[in-house]
Structures are given as C-alpha cells and as structure tokens.
Amino acid sequence: MTKTFFQYYHPDFFIEHVRRPNTHRMPLRHDHPEYEFYYLVDGDRNFFVHDRTIHLTKGQLLVIPPNTHHRSIDGTSDHHERILIELNQTHLTRYLNEDFVKSLMPDLDFPFNIYPLTPELAQAFQNSFSNFSKQQNSESDPTPSLIFIMTLCQMLKTLSPSPISLHPDHPSHLHRRIGDIVRYTNANYHKDIGLETVASDHFISAEHLSRSFKKITGMTFNQYLNTLRLKDAANQLRLSNESIADIADTVGYQSHTHFGRVFKHKYGLSPSAYRRKVNPQ
C-alpha cells in the first residue's frame, strides 16, 4: 500500500513525498505545463521521457521541462520512495523577482536533466525537505514551500547535469528500439503513416510493436500518433488563420471528418469552436 508522508497542493505548485512498497507503473504517458522535479529517495525507476528510456537510481534528481511527455515504470527493485515537485515558473514570479526566478531555474537544452547528488548533498536535501514539511501546515501561507523551492533551485545552480542526461543508456534493447520508433514518429507524424507502415519500416511485426509500444510508453501507437497530430493542430488553430481542412491535411489526417471527431474527443470542442474560444473576436 502506498504511504504518503507529505502532500501539499497550491495553485502554483504541488509537492508530494510517497513510498510505494510494491511495483508501480504510471498508467499513462502524460505531460503538463509545469516543471517536474523527481528525486528518488530509495529504489530505482525507469522513466520514458520524450523519446527515450532512462534508468533513475537512488540519490538522483530528474528534472523534466514543461510539456514533455513522460512516464515512470518499474525498475529492478520492487519498491521506491520519491519526492515530487511540480512548479510553474511563470506563477512563481507572483512571489519572487522574475530575474531571480529565471536565474534559479535550470537551463534545459535537452528533454531532461539528471543531477546525481552526493550522499552529503542528498542528506542535506532530505533534511531541508523534512524541516519544511513540518512547517508547512497552512494552505493560505505558501512561504515554507517557497523557501524550500528556492533552496532546491539554488542547490541545482551549484551542480552540473550528469553526462547520462545527454547520452543515457537504455535499460534494454527493446527500450532502445521503441525509442527509435518514437523519434521516427515525432519526425514523421504529419505524413500518411500508421502502425503497419511504421512496423514494416522498422522490421518488426505490427502485433509486437503494438504490444511493446504500450508496455513501455503507456500509450498505444495510435494514441501517441493522434496526440502528436492533435497537439500540432491545436497550436495551428491558436496561431494561424489556415483553414481547418488545411490544418487537418498538414498534421496528417486523410479524413477531415475523422479529424473533427478525434479533436473533439481530445479537447471537448470541435476545431472551429476551439479556435473561437482561444481566439475570441
């Protein structure tokens, strides 16, 4: 059973400390507009981030930038304990000087950064978290949380990301292969591709690809393909005056009717209604 040691929600950030004594897989690959700081107190985890799988071990801090697809899955151990922090850089400027906030945030030129903490620094970080969690007993006053976040960011400024941030080792050949397929899909989603064609291009059966893709990413191949296409379409509806039919073609949908149906299922609005909502006249 999951044990929650601490949880604090604020409109501008979320902080949680949990321990799971059993295996656990995040059910779906997801993204969000906040930075995610994931510190592994104990155990190990595999993370699928953007287009690759990384192996996170005890004492490492993973930083994932906004709007980056990710999913955590089991590593080699049957348990893990982690501290999770999600924060919105823009919202923090309500409390702190904007230049100061920017100076604290990591410069993320890659899909993620991994910071290995020395035992001494890991202990200092956990002590800081423990002290803050005892003080944060008021929902209306986020000051202890903000002080802790500032401490975290100041610590990161003294560290350099691990080289594995640039060239991480895949936990297995299958993870490497699915990562290659994700990168291929990221680059070609706007073309007329599907499960069968991608499987054929990568010399793998469609059935095996379908099963393996879901196992590692948490999404079916078609769900992932639609996510890429619809995200691009929504962005074009916000920023361009292109017709809806042209946008559907541009992002890879052969049927405009199908595009309208899946877009509404994803966003709760038809493409035209979505455009009117995000660009009111």
Side-chain angles (χ1 to χ4, degrees):
M1 179 180 295
T2 298
K3 181 174 182 179
T4 301
F5 298 104
F6 177 82
Q7 188 177 81
Y8 181 73
Y9 174 80
H10 186 273
D12 296 343
F13 49 84
F14 173 74
I15 304 175
E16 184 181 61
H17 178 198
V18 302
R19 180 178 180 84
R20 293 189 172 97
N22 301 311
T23 57
H24 172 76
R25 284 174 171 254
M26 184 184 292
L28 291 175
R29 193 166 183 249
H30 70 287
D31 66 322
H32 41 72
E34 296 81 19
Y35 280 93
E36 179 168 319
F37 296 78
Y38 187 107
Y39 175 69
L40 198 60
V41 179
D42 193 22
D44 70 303
R45 300 291 285 166
N46 284 327
F47 260 86
F48 194 87
V49 185
H50 185 58
D51 60 6
R52 67 194 71 193
T53 301
I54 56 175
H55 185 63
L56 200 69
T57 58
K58 176 180 177 179
Q60 291 183 330
L61 175 68
L62 172 66
V63 184
I64 305 173
N67 304 311
T68 302
H69 282 282
H70 58 281
R71 180 197 185 208
S72 71
I73 54 180
D74 294 327
T76 58
S77 62
D78 59 359
H79 71 279
H80 74 280
E81 182 179 340
R82 55 89 167 145
I83 296 171
L84 175 70
I85 305 158
E86 294 179 357
L87 62 98
N88 187 306
Q89 179 179 353
T90 302
H91 288 176
L92 277 180
T93 57
R94 295 178 184 174
Y95 310 101
L96 305 172
N97 176 272
E98 183 174 0
D99 291 336
F100 179 60
V101 172
K102 289 180 179 179
S103 74
L104 293 177
M105 297 305 298
D107 180 16
L108 297 173
D109 295 325
F110 299 92
F112 57 85
N113 273 336
I114 298 174
Y115 296 85
L117 274 61
T118 64
E120 296 77 16
L121 196 56
Q123 189 60 55
F125 170 77
Q126 292 174 216
N127 289 342
S128 175
F129 181 87
S130 177
N131 292 334
F132 129 79
S133 61
K134 294 174 183 176
Q135 299 169 8
Q136 185 62 76
N137 55 14
S138 170
E139 294 184 3
S140 60
D141 180 13
T143 302
S145 293
L146 288 169
I147 292 173
F148 169 70
I149 289 171
M150 290 169 60
T151 301
L152 168 64
C153 293
Q154 288 171 334
M155 179 190 73
L156 289 179
K157 295 299 287 186
T158 69
L159 300 174
S160 296
S162 166
I164 60 176
S165 296
L166 309 184
H167 303 289
D169 292 330
H170 293 270
S172 71
H173 174 71
L174 179 61
H175 283 87
R176 180 183 298 277
R177 197 168 193 184
I178 295 301
D180 290 341
I181 290 171
V182 169
R183 282 189 288 278
Y184 174 86
T185 308
N186 290 345
N188 295 280
Y189 67 85
H190 57 285
K191 299 177 182 178
D192 184 17
I193 63 172
L195 178 66
E196 296 285 346
T197 56
V198 171
S200 177
D201 288 345
H202 287 81
F203 307 101
I204 184 174
S205 73
E207 181 181 358
H208 182 50
L209 172 57
S210 178
R211 183 171 59 252
S212 300
F213 198 95
K214 176 70 179 293
K215 176 182 178 181
I216 291 176
T217 70
M219 305 172 72
T220 67
F221 177 82
N222 285 333
Q223 285 173 333
Y224 182 66
L225 181 61
N226 276 321
T227 295
L228 294 176
R229 288 173 170 173
L230 293 174
K231 191 173 184 178
D232 188 358
N235 191 51
Q236 292 191 50
L237 287 167
R238 285 194 303 268
L239 303 177
S240 80
N241 295 318
E242 295 294 322
S243 71
I244 292 173
D246 285 345
I247 290 175
D249 291 337
T250 299
V251 301
Y253 285 101
Q254 308 301 309
S255 166
H256 300 166
T257 301
H258 178 60
F259 167 65
R261 184 166 57 249
V262 295
F263 189 95
K264 186 171 184 178
H265 179 74
K266 170 74 173 180
Y267 293 100
L269 296 168
S270 68
S272 57
Y274 179 87
R275 170 172 270 172
R276 288 194 297 271
K277 180 180 179 179
V278 297
N279 291 310
Q281 299 299 321

